[in-house]
Amino acid sequence: MIVDGARRLALTAAGASLADGPVRLRYRIAGFDSAEPRVMTLRRLLALKRLSRIPANLYPPVRRARRWADALRAHDGRRAGASQREIAIALFGRARVEREWYEGNNDLRKTVLRLLRTGERLVDGEWRGLLRG
């Protein structure tokens, strides 16, 4: 595992032991389904060799990270005894909740319910899937 701040690059050696000295690097990409993340890993490794660091632009932000964080905050609020409305205020602000909470479409309430369900799934073990990308 190579660590550069918050960025990590994991390499797996097959066959020989790295403790025995220099090894020959072979990079396998089999099939199109797994090609893109593996090519990105190779780009990160090449950048590390060239720059002696892993550039941040090779680690784009995870699109759903904000939602996952909100889901965990909602879950924490529920565990602390907060009502759905109190959770909404913490996540979206009092002004928005006062404006939208009692609207006929209930969109904000539905959003809080979805976040609570997502938070429950994450806490129940779905977070492991996030580590695999």
Side-chain angles (χ1 to χ4, degrees), residues 47 51 63 65 76 88 94 96 98 102 113 123 130:
L51 304 171
R63 287 187 355 237
D76 287 348
R94 182 172 300 280
R96 180 174 174 195
E98 288 177 0
Y102 293 108
L113 287 172
V123 169
L130 304 179

Side-chain angles (χ1 to χ4, degrees), residues 67-111:
R67 177 173 171 75
W68 296 328
D70 284 348
L72 292 172
R73 289 178 63 205
H75 182 270
D76 287 348
R78 174 189 271 171
R79 297 278 308 258
S83 68
Q84 291 177 14
R85 182 180 166 88
E86 290 168 330
I87 291 169
I89 290 169
L91 294 175
F92 306 113
R94 182 172 300 280
R96 180 174 174 195
V97 172
E98 288 177 0
R99 229 181 16 254
E100 299 178 24
W101 193 254
Y102 293 108
E103 284 186 358
N105 60 17
N106 292 322
D107 285 345
L108 198 54
R109 287 182 186 206
K110 291 175 187 174
T111 297

Side-chain angles (χ1 to χ4, degrees), residues 27-49:
Y27 199 81
R28 295 181 187 165
I29 299 175
F32 288 106
D33 292 340
S34 65
E36 197 164 326
R38 291 176 185 219
V39 168
M40 181 55 78
T41 300
L42 183 57
R43 289 183 64 208
R44 291 168 178 160
L45 180 62
L46 293 171
L48 176 64
K49 183 197 178 299

